[in-house]
């Protein structure tokens, strides 16, 4: 597995590099956003670990540049900026996970393994459908009534979770556990924000609503009775 680490603090990058290489990962390191973007867009990586506060280009700018070209490579944001607003900026830009500094290496390693394992286990050619909503998990496309729906990587993952459990009420805790891997505070409203993002893209403009709130329990994807 080949990883790109974009981190401008030499001690932090050396610490991460040493630990991951001991676990038999191959690493490239960039110390500014410009070089990080260049490497990310021109070499194939299995995972990108990206700081937010970087020289030349910010991590969010690098994230947007990567997602404009590649929607599938897993991206882990690694930063001292840990508010819900900061995390939403990362997730909304297409990040797959978010780890706040300071961190323990075993937690970083667990996040890395989870993201690379998920990439390696992607289902080939799976079509998920409900009513006129169709998701192709291989091509990473979603359509409703034949109309394409553009989703960020985070939104796609959340919708895929709903579609694999259609008709079942999913609590906020379940959605967090399966989609965010404890990368935000339990009391935050990140889940509600992202469900609303999905509603605006999946249900807006259609008479039949598919994403429903079950008060006091969570959310469910199903056809209306």
């Amino acid at each position: 597995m080949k990883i790109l680490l974009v981190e401008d603090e030499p001690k932090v990058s050396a610490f991460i590099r040493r630990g991951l290489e001991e676990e038999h990962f191959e690493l490239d390191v960039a110390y500014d956003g410009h070089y990080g973007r260049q490497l990310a867009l021109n070499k194939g990586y299995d995972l990108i670990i990206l700081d937010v506060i970087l020289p030349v280009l910010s991590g969010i700018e690098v994230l947007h540049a990567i997602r404009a070209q590649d929607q599938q490579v897993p991206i882990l944001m690694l930063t001292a900026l840990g508010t819900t607003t900061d995390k939403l900026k990362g997730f909304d830009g297409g990040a797959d996970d978010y780890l706040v500094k300071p961190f323990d290496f075993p937690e970083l390693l667990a996040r890395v393994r989870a993201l690379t394992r998920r990439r390696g286990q992607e289902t080939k050619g799976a079509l998920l459908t409900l009513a006129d909503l169709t998701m192709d998990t291989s091509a990473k496309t979603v359509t409703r009534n034949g109309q394409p729906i553009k989703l960020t990587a985070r939104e796609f993952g959340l919708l895929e979770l709903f579609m694999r459990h259609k008709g079942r009420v999913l609590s906020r805790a379940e959605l967090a556990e399966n989609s965010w891997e404890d990368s935000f505070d339990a009391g935050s409203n990140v889940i509600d924000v992202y469900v609303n993002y999905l509603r605006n893209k999946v249900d807006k403009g259609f008479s039949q609503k598919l994403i429903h709130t079950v008060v006091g329990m969570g959310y469910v994807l199903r056809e209306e009775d």
Side-chain angles (χ1 to χ4, degrees):
M1 288 284 183
K2 191 167 185 178
I3 296 174
L4 171 63
L5 171 63
V6 188
E7 167 61 65
D8 67 319
E9 297 181 44
K11 290 183 178 180
V12 175
S13 62
F15 168 70
I16 294 173
R17 182 171 199 161
R18 182 172 60 252
L20 290 179
E21 287 182 343
E22 287 177 357
E23 297 295 329
H24 308 294
F25 290 98
E26 181 182 353
L27 255 72
D28 287 339
V29 179
Y31 294 97
D32 66 69
H34 176 75
Y35 186 48
R37 181 183 65 178
Q38 181 180 339
L39 289 178
L41 297 181
N42 290 284
K43 293 187 177 183
Y45 292 98
D46 298 294
L47 173 69
I48 296 172
I49 302 174
L50 183 60
D51 193 4
V52 172
I53 302 174
L54 292 166
V56 189
L57 291 176
S58 73
I60 297 297
E61 290 175 301
V62 177
L63 174 65
H64 290 165
I66 296 169
R67 284 297 179 236
Q69 178 174 303
D70 186 344
Q71 289 291 323
Q72 298 188 38
V73 61
I75 299 176
L76 168 61
M77 305 302 289
L78 184 65
T79 177
L81 303 176
T83 68
T84 297
T85 299
D86 293 322
K87 293 174 183 179
L88 282 173
K89 286 180 182 178
F91 288 137
D92 196 31
D96 296 280
D97 203 352
Y98 199 111
L99 184 60
V100 178
K101 299 176 182 176
F103 60 90
D104 294 324
F105 182 77
E107 183 177 6
L108 173 64
L109 181 61
R111 303 288 183 91
V112 167
R113 285 177 170 163
L115 290 170
T116 54
R117 182 170 58 248
R118 183 188 306 166
R119 180 171 173 84
Q121 292 177 345
E122 285 182 345
T123 304
K124 300 295 183 181
L127 281 179
L128 305 174
T129 62
L130 176 68
D132 55 355
L133 180 67
T134 301
M135 168 181 282
D136 186 328
T137 62
S138 178
K140 302 296 183 186
T141 59
V142 176
T143 61
R144 182 156 187 195
N145 195 29
Q147 301 176 29
I149 298 173
K150 187 176 181 181
L151 301 176
T152 65
R154 176 62 59 184
E155 292 164 351
F156 187 95
L158 187 59
L159 182 59
E160 182 178 355
L161 184 62
F162 275 124
M163 295 195 74
R164 291 189 182 278
H165 298 87
K166 55 191 175 186
R168 178 186 159 200
V169 178
L170 298 174
S171 68
R172 289 171 178 81
E174 287 179 287
L175 293 171
E177 181 180 350
N178 287 279
S179 297
W180 270 265
E181 295 164 353
D182 298 325
S183 57
F184 70 100
D185 296 332
S188 75
N189 66 340
V190 170
I191 293 294
D192 304 294
V193 169
Y194 269 84
V195 170
N196 283 330
Y197 286 168
L198 278 182
R199 277 191 171 125
N200 286 333
K201 295 184 177 183
V202 171
D203 283 340
K204 190 174 182 179
F206 293 92
S207 58
Q208 183 182 38
K209 307 307 178 185
L210 299 179
I211 301 173
H212 305 274
T213 301
V214 181
V215 178
M217 298 180 66
Y219 298 99
V220 60
L221 184 75
R222 67 185 177 206
E223 296 184 65
E224 290 180 314
D225 297 333

